[in-house]
Amino acid sequence: MSDSTRFKPGKSIKLADYDPADTGGVKNKGAAEEEIAAGIEKIADLSFRLYAEARRSVLLILQGMDTSGKDGTIRHVMTGVNPLTCEIVAFKEPTTEELDHDFLWRIHRAVPRRGKVGIFNRSQYEDVLVVRVKHLAPESVWRPRYGMINAFEKLLTQNDTTIVKCFLHISKDEQRKRLQARIDDPHKRWKFNLGDLADRRHWDDYQQAYEDALNECNTAEAPWHIVPSDKKWYRNLVVTRILLRTLTELDPHFPPAKENLEGIVVE
Ligand code: ADP
């Protein structure tokens, strides 16, 4: 697979140079869905091996503007995967208890245990995104967090957690359409918050905050991927590929039997 969604650590990127509508030469939805279905089967098998092995874990972080498809990606990529083998956590506004600790406290507690594939829907990055854009803390508080996040992610990777971070990149116009659909479609209304419109008014500030987070926290240990997400099928395909490649590289194996089972017959 080509690695066009990744960029070199140390290289500074501009989000405006990445086309959210890119489909990477994949012809159409049908072609993508075939590859996704085949990919999910392999992901299911590899995740089960990882679970049986119980030595290492994978953490997939999903970040993106409202409607970029964090929930939809999880639904598509994890459907068909044994629920025993994965853990999905969504991070909302911190509770008072969480606010009484450092910002990584709730994150660390949610890191997948050995053997699991964990998926974060939002993450530690909210603390340099929404916190920055909405001025929930001064710059003297949020800016040092890039370094803290890098150190935290290094700690995790050195303790057998492989981290993959996906920024689901949508255009402002695509977000407009998706928000409108949430208002118009009675089955989608439950997802709509008036606050989403307030966030949309800060679109440029969020793009800047994302760009900085991507540039500051794109390490060799925990790289960012910029996932073109205007086409849902391409977004799902890219994340499927990334997860499949990560698990393939880990190459998990079923552990040997705990005892010598040679010749034992169950009566
Ligand atoms: P969704 O992720 O589906 O949009 P919600 O509508 O419940 O779910 O939104 C979660 C909200 O929690 C988002 O507005 C997000 O910015 C906010 N949030 C998450 N983490 C933090 C944080 N550390 N500080 C402040 N707000 C946060």
Side-chain angles (χ1 to χ4, degrees):
M1 168 201 151
S2 85
D3 212 356
S4 58
T5 60
R6 262 181 81 165
F7 59 103
K8 270 211 180 82
K11 185 177 171 233
S12 183
I13 57 97
K14 291 237 165 287
L15 271 183
D17 295 339
Y18 288 78
D19 178 9
D22 185 24
T23 54
V26 179
K27 282 201 192 71
N28 52 41
K29 189 173 172 179
E33 282 177 349
E34 258 179 49
E35 192 184 328
I36 292 170
I40 290 174
E41 255 185 56
K42 291 185 193 138
I43 288 173
D45 175 55
L46 289 163
S47 319
F48 193 59
R49 287 166 188 265
L50 190 82
Y51 179 72
E53 195 189 73
R55 285 197 296 117
R56 301 169 291 175
S57 60
V58 172
L59 172 59
L60 172 64
I61 292 179
L62 299 178
Q63 283 285 166
M65 298 293 289
D66 287 324
T67 76
S68 60
K70 299 180 288 295
D71 288 327
T73 304
I74 295 171
R75 188 172 71 246
H76 280 93
V77 177
M78 300 314 278
T79 297
V81 175
N82 183 342
L84 267 184
T85 65
C86 51
E87 294 176 356
I88 296 157
V89 185
F91 290 97
K92 311 279 181 189
E93 279 181 37
T95 62
T96 41
E97 189 189 21
E98 288 166 350
L99 286 172
D100 279 341
H101 295 82
D102 70 85
F103 78 104
L104 290 170
W105 181 74
R106 66 174 183 161
I107 308 291
H108 206 161
R109 285 157 58 103
V111 166
R113 65 190 59 208
R114 296 183 196 284
K116 297 260 187 156
V117 174
I119 304 187
F120 282 180
N121 177 343
R122 303 186 187 269
S123 64
Q124 59 271 28
Y125 286 95
E126 291 295 318
D127 291 279
V128 290
L129 294 166
V130 62
V131 168
R132 168 178 173 175
V133 172
K134 290 197 178 159
H135 304 289
L136 303 179
E139 181 165 355
S140 58
V141 168
W142 61 255
R143 189 163 288 281
R145 286 181 175 166
Y146 297 126
M148 295 175 197
I149 290 174
N150 287 338
F152 170 66
E153 293 181 353
K154 189 166 189 167
L155 175 145
L156 295 183
T157 55
Q158 290 186 339
N159 283 277
D160 308 313
T161 298
T162 300
I163 303 177
V164 210
K165 302 180 295 202
C166 291
F167 169 58
L168 308 183
H169 186 32
I170 53 164
S171 63
K172 194 172 181 189
D173 196 47
E174 182 62 24
Q175 191 198 49
R176 181 185 58 73
K177 290 182 197 152
R178 292 185 189 180
L179 284 174
Q180 192 64 52
R182 285 187 181 179
I183 294 169
D184 296 341
D185 180 345
H187 292 169
K188 291 186 175 167
R189 267 181 209 154
W190 65 274
K191 283 195 193 180
F192 185 79
N193 290 312
L194 276 176
D196 297 347
L197 296 183
D199 276 345
R200 181 172 165 77
R201 276 183 224 116
H202 293 290
W203 179 271
D204 292 341
D205 296 338
Y206 271 109
Q207 295 295 301
Q208 188 60 57
Y210 267 110
E211 194 171 283
D212 289 349
L214 292 167
N215 283 321
E216 295 285 342
C217 301
N218 184 45
T219 56
E221 297 92 5
W224 272 109
H225 296 259
I226 301 173
V227 180
S229 298
D230 273 6
K231 295 269 181 295
K232 294 176 182 172
W233 52 266
Y234 187 61
R235 174 201 74 201
N236 294 338
L237 176 60
V238 171
V239 177
T240 302
R241 284 175 173 172
I242 291 169
L243 188 56
L244 177 56
R245 194 184 43 204
T246 305
L247 284 163
T248 304
E249 281 171 8
L250 283 174
D251 190 24
H253 281 82
F254 290 114
K258 294 181 191 95
E259 324 269 349
N260 180 6
L261 303 179
E262 212 55 47
I264 295 180
V265 177
V266 180
E267 290 175 8

